[in-house]
Amino acid sequence: MRQRHGTDEFAALDAYIVSLQGEAIQALATHIDVRDRLESVIRAAVKANGSDPTSRSKWGRV
Amino acid sequence: VLGSNGFAEFFEQDYLRVVLILMRFGASRADAEDCAQEAMTQACRNWTSIQIPHSWVRTVAIRTYLKAVRAHKRTCPLGDVSAEPYAVDPDLAMFREEQQHVLDLLRRLPPKQRLVLALYYDGMRPEEIAEATGKSAATVRSLLRYSRQRLQEVMQSEGNARISTGNP
């Protein structure tokens, strides 16, 4: 989380909850195969679009 | 290469964060994963035209989840659940007890407060939350104040030293 509440009355609360976020993400990562989900998402998008919608050569996103 | 042009990196960096936002909002783990995946699929399909993927995918994930809740009465209670008795959601069992407790407290807030806090603690600014939720920035700031006030009061009443002392 971006640091922007250092002086307000909720700074301690914000810092506390944000401090737990990394650990929560790690816990999720032990239960969810992100690479597998990525492949599923790309397969679904390719199926829907007819080609890889993220292809650099096709679309030239900058 | 499938997922080129930055999408794969974006997915790997943001997918679990979106799942966590939805779980903080009240979604079951399964619903959170489904809605995050649907939002990411839409992002992938429209990747070349999305200007700010970070905000875009969060907005779509939230809307996808709310639509599912309304259509199928899924796990997120849309009413005020602040009076519900404490009961640990089995979906939260993967988290350490302290994390479970904070998630539970977040989920007891009224839905509007819960939503803005879930996005806020993911790092979105009030203006970004306003755009994602269709509320004014002033309303978002007000909801952030009320929700954090409530959380702080509860945690202080529980004797949470990290909140009471102001020294995280």
Side-chain angles (χ1 to χ4, degrees):
Chain A
M1 188 173 144
R2 288 164 250 183
Q3 294 298 310
R4 58 181 183 276
H5 301 290
T7 58
D8 76 21
E9 64 187 291
F10 304 114
L13 174 71
D14 290 346
Y16 172 62
I17 293 180
V18 171
S19 75
L20 298 174
Q21 172 138 328
E23 183 184 293
I25 296 292
Q26 285 183 351
L28 283 171
T30 63
H31 289 78
I32 300 171
D33 186 337
V34 173
R35 175 58 62 171
D36 179 67
R37 296 305 172 95
L38 170 61
E39 291 173 1
S40 296
V41 161
I42 293 174
R43 277 198 301 271
V46 169
K47 185 176 180 181
N49 284 34
S51 62
D52 178 9
T54 68
S55 169
R56 188 190 310 273
S57 58
K58 184 176 179 66
W59 298 100
R61 177 187 170 91
V62 293
Chain B
V1 177
L2 288 177
S4 60
N5 220 358
F7 178 76
E9 291 82 359
F10 170 72
F11 185 97
E12 289 175 351
Q13 186 171 353
D14 279 46
Y15 175 71
L16 293 178
R17 289 179 59 178
V18 176
V19 171
L20 183 60
I21 288 170
L22 293 170
M23 291 185 73
R24 281 175 165 168
F25 184 39
S28 68
R29 185 182 131 198
D31 285 350
E33 289 183 42
D34 286 350
C35 294
Q37 188 156 339
E38 172 59 27
M40 283 291 185
T41 301
Q42 291 189 42
C44 185
R45 292 187 61 189
N46 299 284
W47 186 240
T48 56
S49 62
I50 298 172
Q51 298 299 311
I52 308 173
H54 178 89
S55 298
W56 193 97
V57 81
R58 282 156 175 75
T59 302
V60 173
I62 291 287
R63 290 177 183 171
T64 301
Y65 179 61
L66 286 173
K67 188 175 176 183
V69 168
R70 292 179 181 123
H72 306 295
K73 306 294 184 193
R74 288 194 181 184
T75 52
C76 172
L78 290 177
D80 186 344
V81 295
S82 58
E84 286 186 356
Y86 179 83
V88 175
D89 183 338
D91 276 344
L92 305 186
M94 75 179 83
F95 300 118
R96 191 162 56 86
E97 188 175 350
E98 185 180 16
Q99 180 76 248
Q100 288 183 32
H101 184 56
V102 170
L103 274 166
D104 182 71
L105 292 178
L106 286 169
R107 288 170 159 202
R108 290 173 188 239
L109 294 168
K112 290 177 184 176
Q113 293 183 19
R114 196 189 312 156
L115 175 58
V116 298
L117 263 195
L119 294 170
Y120 176 77
Y121 283 128
D122 180 63
M124 290 179 79
R125 296 191 305 272
E127 294 76 14
E128 294 171 322
I129 297 171
E131 191 169 338
T133 59
K135 303 179 190 306
S136 71
T139 298
V140 168
R141 288 193 188 90
S142 176
L143 288 168
L144 284 172
R145 164 163 285 280
Y146 285 129
S147 56
R148 289 188 292 166
Q149 184 75 49
R150 174 70 182 141
L151 272 183
Q152 186 158 274
E153 287 170 1
V154 172
M155 289 185 186
Q156 285 176 342
S157 72
E158 293 173 343
N160 186 318
R162 294 178 66 182
I163 303 303
S164 301
T165 62
N167 294 315

